[in-house]
Amino acid sequence: MDVQVAISQDFLTAILRLPRAQQKKVNQFVSKFRSDPLSPGINYEKINDAANSDMRSVRIDQAYRGIVLKPNQGNVYILLWVDHHDEAYAWARRHQCKIHPKTGAIQLYASEINEVEPSVEQTNTPNKDVSSVGLFEKYTKQQLIELGLPEEFADQIVAMPDMATFETYQDKLPNDAFEAMYFLAEGIPYEEVLEDYRNNSVDDVDTEDFAAALIREGSKRRFVVVDDEALEQMLDAPLEKWRVFLHPSQRKIVERDWNGPVRVLGGAGTGKTVAAIHRAKWLAASLDGVPNKKVLFTTFTKNLASDIREHLEQICSHTELSSIETVNIDSWVHQFLKRNNYNYDIVYPGDSNPKRVNSWKRALDNKSPELDLSDHFYEEEWKLVIQEQSITDKAEYIRARRNGRGTRLNRKERLLAWTVFEEYLLQLNHNKIKEMPDAMRDCIALIDAKNIKPMYESVIVDEGQDMGTQAYELIRRIVQEGKNDIFIVGDGHQRIYRNKVVLGRCGISILGRSRKLRVNYRTTEETKKLAVSVLNNVHVDDLDDGEDTSKGYISLMHGEMPEIITTNSFSDEADAVIERIEQLEAAGAKLQDICLVARTKSIRDAFGQELSKAGITTYEVMANGVDNRHREGVRIATMHRVKGLEFQNVFIVGCNQQTIPLQNFRSDDPVELREHELSERALLHVAMTRAMRSLTISCQGQLTRFIRR
Ligand SMILES: Nc1ncnc2c1ncn2[C@@H]1O[C@H](COP(=O)(O)OP(=O)(O)OP(=O)(O)O)[C@@H](O)[C@H]1O
């Protein structure tokens, strides 16, 4: 029978904690072990009192030991842990590794859990009858076990008094069981949780058959069977776990055929981009390098597209890579139109292109004195109504949908307002410029006129929340309709460009093909909680005319509470930030892992200058390129620029009451004001959720009202 060697994610993490010299030895050992775990050179030793009698220690060198699970049945060896002799043995005593009888997934968890004291919150609440307020009182023990809870914990968990107490079990329970219980406690319906945590087609689980268990989705988040090539890659530091260990909820959406467009939602850091990258690889593999069969991976921002290309290069073969085109949607439009001899300059609604600004100025000169509407109103009306619905004449404008616009306009008022838009259209034409939504429409017109066949087998869209109607209509047109055609990932909570869309209205029906990712791999739970609180009680859409919620969204990591620094002046704030950056550097942090984020360019630059004066190198995050992580320097960026990116340590500076929300927005329209407020909150939320390890927020004077301490 073939020998199978698997590695747990924990083993790889354990390697990274060792001194460099030892890491090398472990790597050599693993290569030897992988080629023949039965070789006489490998010393297996029984571990007295190990939680699992199938655990053995193996000798790496004089001082270090690996912990291996060698089940009785089959020919499977699983490398679980590595450490200094005594610590490795202690680890084996503290950990259990078993196949769950219901889900069939291999679980690694604490061998014992002590009775946990109710949380301080709970004990401080006078007269509260603990036993009557169980967190899981709606569920039976059996139901919890169905979701992956090990039976030995069932009594304790079913009697759990509150969330705070439950959270203290995080590092004791298997990750899958903890997550599933957490989502139940957050109010996610049982069936939905079961769908995510049950392994497909597992009926009769043989709890001794590790070979069968290793290939189940639920096991693959933590264990991988290694062949030589994969092993070599994996042992190459720095290790990026997402390359190998997809969460079952990610794997379920990535590795399967879909009978039409799919929409995947998920809070910041839940691995949407990672899922989309793996999806691109999976689709490309199925194309088998056939020329002219292509997958398009598109994003909203240019720098994210470059980032994604780099990631694809890490996981795809040459052939797969040759089938994937990665480009942000606007560049795609530019390239397509250029190939088709398009004669217009492309601009953006509201941008500073002098020809566009002048055209708009002339259009506003035609404002009717009979209408008391602000210039801003016309700007928004143009973008949100006229461009959104591709309106080109008066008659269409009179019939136009104006949902979500606060100021009502009757027929006569629309006719009067139209004079501005009519002039703008004339000016754009006269100056040979087009706004991007028009350019997208022109792409469609060209495709129709030239009868161009769909160019892609599949399109993958990242940052789906920021793409507008025209972008989706164009996407619909360039991809072959049918199996695996469109895969969209996005998060309405991160919409910062106000390009709302209703997919169904763009010919993209996601009925029955909508999924959600819930596990945040990036930020700590402490940062996540603060970032989510910025969007409390605001309504966020699901890209298809429904509502999305940030309930049932968990971070697996814990860390320091975000620090909030209030100062009295700019120089005090700058000093405080510089001091902390110097402390981080002294503690070993690399400058390129630190990002300073500001709401505006001028605040960014002001802080950038202070950092330079203090001798700290800075590096501006640009819109149009990949961040060269080898270039030294603290990253400095506006909030818009950091979307989709991540940094170990994030400083959000200038979080003053007067700056966030930005005060340059004037409108009497309550709907516009609400929308403005929402996108300002989304911007802050995006900036906060870039932080992997630490988040520091600072202000001068009063802190923005978006943050409640
Ligand atoms: N299965 C996984 N295992 C380990 N790490 C993962 C996994 N999936 C994602 N990650 C990590 O989590 C972080 C966030 O992932 P990703 O950027 O895909 O999230 P996202 O949902 O697209 O985030 P955002 O919407 O905030 O941009 C990254 O550091 C990524 O490497």
Side-chain angles (χ1 to χ4, degrees):
M1 196 196 285
D2 273 356
V3 176
Q4 265 188 325
V5 174
I7 293 191
S8 75
Q9 205 185 104
D10 314 74
F11 183 82
L12 295 170
T13 311
I15 297 182
L16 289 183
R17 292 168 20 156
L18 302 180
R20 270 242 161 257
Q22 244 67 40
Q23 287 184 10
K24 233 173 137 191
K25 280 192 187 162
V26 177
N27 289 359
Q28 284 160 359
F29 166 82
V30 177
S31 298
K32 190 170 78 180
F33 186 80
R34 148 72 222 135
S35 57
D36 183 9
L38 297 171
S39 122
I42 296 174
N43 279 321
Y44 289 91
E45 291 223 4
K46 236 178 132 49
I47 304 167
N48 286 339
D49 312 328
N52 184 322
S53 58
D54 290 338
M55 282 188 196
R56 297 279 180 279
S57 81
V58 282
R59 188 190 162 92
I60 309 278
D61 69 3
Q62 194 82 336
Y64 282 80
R65 297 292 179 273
I67 303 295
V68 180
L69 186 80
K70 168 65 195 88
N72 269 330
Q73 186 179 316
N75 228 345
V76 174
Y77 294 78
I78 307 179
L79 288 163
L80 295 177
W81 193 251
V82 56
D83 209 335
H84 214 269
H85 178 287
D86 291 356
E87 283 78 18
Y89 274 66
W91 186 94
R93 291 184 185 108
R94 285 197 316 270
H95 287 85
Q96 181 54 279
C97 184
K98 278 189 188 172
I99 299 174
H100 191 276
K102 293 295 174 187
T103 66
I106 305 177
Q107 297 183 319
L108 191 56
Y109 54 98
S111 53
E112 270 177 30
I113 48 174
N114 305 327
E115 201 69 42
V116 176
E117 294 289 318
S119 68
V120 179
E121 205 176 283
Q122 181 77 22
T123 45
N124 285 350
T125 314
N127 305 327
K128 210 166 180 184
D129 176 2
V130 170
S131 60
S132 71
V133 286
L135 193 59
F136 301 109
E137 65 182 355
K138 283 204 317 221
Y139 307 100
T140 62
K141 268 194 263 179
Q142 203 46 42
Q143 278 181 304
L144 301 186
I145 292 170
E146 287 289 328
L147 294 175
L149 181 67
E151 201 169 344
E152 56 263 43
F153 297 145
D155 283 333
Q156 260 172 296
I157 299 298
V158 84
M160 195 56 59
D162 59 19
M163 192 63 148
T165 312
F166 175 64
E167 283 181 347
T168 61
Y169 281 73
Q170 178 164 0
D171 51 5
K172 315 251 177 354
L173 294 177
N175 320 12
D176 50 357
F178 179 78
E179 287 164 21
M181 303 300 112
Y182 182 95
F183 295 143
L184 275 190
E186 282 256 288
I188 306 300
Y190 183 83
E191 287 304 319
E192 224 175 281
V193 181
L194 190 62
E195 170 70 27
D196 274 349
Y197 286 86
R198 176 178 53 199
N199 279 282
N200 291 336
S201 63
V202 178
D203 285 332
D204 252 344
V205 172
D206 176 351
T207 54
E208 303 298 318
D209 188 353
F210 277 78
L214 273 170
I215 53 177
R216 295 198 183 110
E217 275 164 8
S219 307
K220 287 186 189 168
R221 67 177 292 171
R222 204 154 180 179
F223 300 91
V224 61
V225 178
V226 281
D227 58 35
D228 283 340
E229 198 192 335
L231 182 66
E232 214 168 280
Q233 276 180 6
M234 248 180 272
L235 297 176
D236 263 1
L239 177 89
E240 281 158 315
K241 296 194 184 104
W242 62 268
R243 290 196 224 166
V244 182
F245 302 100
L246 287 187
H247 190 274
S249 56
Q250 289 173 314
R251 202 175 288 279
K252 274 183 187 161
I253 54 179
V254 166
E255 295 176 358
R256 62 165 281 185
D257 285 323
W258 288 98
N259 208 11
V262 184
R263 178 204 58 195
V264 179
L265 298 174
T270 51
K272 298 182 294 300
T273 301
V274 161
I277 288 171
H278 278 271
R279 177 76 181 157
K281 176 183 162 67
W282 190 85
L283 289 167
S286 73
L287 297 181
D288 213 14
V290 176
N292 297 329
K293 291 210 168 198
K294 294 267 184 272
V295 175
L296 173 68
F297 195 129
T298 189
T299 60
F300 184 73
T301 50
K302 211 170 188 173
N303 45 356
L304 184 60
S306 321
D307 234 37
I308 284 167
R309 190 73 200 169
E310 279 204 342
H311 289 325
L312 282 168
E313 282 164 10
Q314 291 169 2
I315 63 164
C316 290
S317 68
H318 266 312
T319 318
E320 287 161 355
L321 213 51
S322 69
S323 304
I324 307 173
E325 207 178 304
T326 316
V327 62
N328 63 308
I329 191 74
D330 291 1
S331 301
W332 189 95
V333 170
H334 276 279
Q335 289 163 15
F336 177 80
L337 291 175
K338 199 166 164 204
R339 280 199 304 276
N340 285 279
N341 306 318
Y342 195 65
N343 264 336
Y344 293 86
D345 285 341
I346 301 176
V347 296
Y348 292 86
D351 80 5
S352 58
N353 175 293
K355 279 197 211 162
R356 194 208 68 80
V357 171
N358 208 21
S359 301
W360 184 245
K361 231 193 224 150
R362 285 183 176 231
L364 287 177
D365 288 344
N366 285 282
K367 263 190 336 188
S368 163
E370 285 178 54
L371 278 184
D372 183 22
L373 296 173
S374 67
D375 291 358
H376 185 77
F377 173 88
Y378 283 100
E379 239 172 74
E380 294 278 295
E381 186 78 358
W382 169 259
K383 187 174 165 201
L384 302 175
V385 178
I386 297 177
Q387 275 296 25
E388 169 69 19
Q389 292 169 58
S390 314
I391 291 168
T392 52
D393 67 30
K394 203 172 2 195
E396 284 173 352
Y397 183 49
I398 285 168
R399 289 195 305 271
R401 281 188 313 272
R402 296 187 65 258
N403 307 355
R405 301 285 289 143
T407 310
R408 297 174 77 92
L409 295 180
N410 61 28
R411 184 188 155 88
K412 182 174 167 223
E413 287 163 336
R414 289 197 198 197
L415 283 173
L416 291 172
W418 179 252
T419 53
V420 170
F421 307 128
E422 187 170 37
E423 180 61 25
Y424 188 48
L425 285 169
L426 287 172
Q427 287 292 330
L428 290 176
N429 210 22
H430 172 74
N431 287 309
K432 292 212 129 332
I433 54 178
K434 293 266 187 173
E435 290 193 346
M436 182 49 90
D438 292 319
M440 288 175 171
R441 261 191 295 274
D442 288 348
C443 289
I444 296 176
L446 262 166
I447 290 171
D448 289 347
K450 295 191 172 181
N451 202 10
I452 300 173
K453 298 269 165 294
M455 302 136 211
Y456 301 101
E457 304 304 304
S458 308
V459 175
I460 294 177
V461 181
D462 197 356
E463 304 177 287
Q465 73 280 356
D466 281 315
M467 303 251 188
T469 302
Q470 287 79 22
Y472 281 108
E473 284 173 352
L474 176 59
I475 287 166
R476 177 67 286 171
R477 210 54 84 87
I478 60 179
V479 60
Q480 191 77 42
E481 200 161 340
K483 194 172 93 174
N484 297 334
D485 55 356
I486 302 178
F487 186 87
I488 301 164
V489 303
D491 175 20
H493 300 90
Q494 297 185 63
R495 178 177 297 113
I496 57 177
Y497 291 99
R498 298 190 59 188
N499 279 330
K500 257 194 189 154
V501 71
V502 178
L503 291 170
R505 289 202 199 122
C506 306
I508 300 178
S509 166
I510 52 163
L511 212 71
R513 290 181 299 273
S514 164
R515 296 291 184 273
K516 188 139 188 182
L517 297 178
R518 302 183 179 282
V519 178
N520 180 339
Y521 281 95
R522 180 190 298 131
T523 48
T524 62
E525 182 67 10
E526 290 72 14
T527 295
K528 186 217 84 181
K529 278 190 174 142
L530 188 67
V532 166
S533 75
V534 170
L535 287 166
N536 258 354
N537 302 324
V538 300
H539 294 279
V540 169
D541 69 271
D542 66 353
L543 282 58
D544 203 29
D545 219 13
E547 204 169 313
D548 190 18
T549 146
S550 49
K551 252 191 170 181
Y553 161 41
I554 187 185
S555 294
L556 295 178
M557 289 157 305
H558 284 272
E560 299 283 311
M561 289 298 286
E563 186 184 9
I564 299 179
I565 308 169
T566 315
T567 63
N568 291 323
S569 67
F570 169 74
S571 64
D572 284 353
E573 187 184 348
D575 287 349
V577 168
I578 289 166
E579 187 188 330
R580 279 159 184 80
I581 291 176
E582 285 170 347
Q583 280 166 359
L584 281 171
E585 203 184 2
K590 291 191 192 133
L591 289 185
Q592 49 268 55
D593 289 334
I594 301 173
C595 185
L596 181 145
V597 191
R599 174 64 188 86
T600 66
K601 284 183 188 163
S602 58
I603 300 176
R604 175 199 66 192
D605 293 343
F607 276 89
Q609 278 165 16
E610 292 304 308
L611 261 57
S612 301
K613 275 193 231 158
I616 300 172
T617 316
T618 61
Y619 178 95
E620 190 181 318
V621 179
M622 309 288 269
N624 55 358
V626 70
D627 181 356
N628 179 351
R629 287 290 170 122
H630 301 295
R631 287 268 304 269
E632 207 203 316
V634 169
R635 272 45 188 160
I636 58 167
T638 59
M639 290 183 175
H640 284 91
R641 281 288 79 78
V642 292
K643 185 151 78 79
L645 308 181
E646 59 189 19
F647 305 89
Q648 292 290 339
N649 310 288
V650 169
F651 287 81
I652 309 182
V653 295
C655 284
N656 316 329
Q657 183 77 290
Q658 302 78 9
T659 317
I660 301 173
L662 209 58
Q663 305 289 313
N664 68 348
F665 188 85
R666 300 267 169 272
S667 173
D668 305 326
D669 184 328
V671 177
E672 279 182 31
L673 287 170
R674 203 168 60 225
E675 291 285 317
H676 172 69
E677 165 116 356
L678 178 57
S679 60
E680 290 287 309
R681 283 184 184 272
L683 260 178
L684 182 59
H685 173 79
V686 166
M688 290 164 113
T689 51
R690 301 307 97 195
M692 298 166 86
R693 188 171 302 188
S694 76
L695 172 65
T696 310
I697 292 168
S698 59
C699 70
Q700 307 140 38
Q702 213 176 342
L703 182 68
T704 168
R705 64 185 158 84
F706 290 173
I707 299 175
R708 296 268 160 86
R709 290 179 197 243

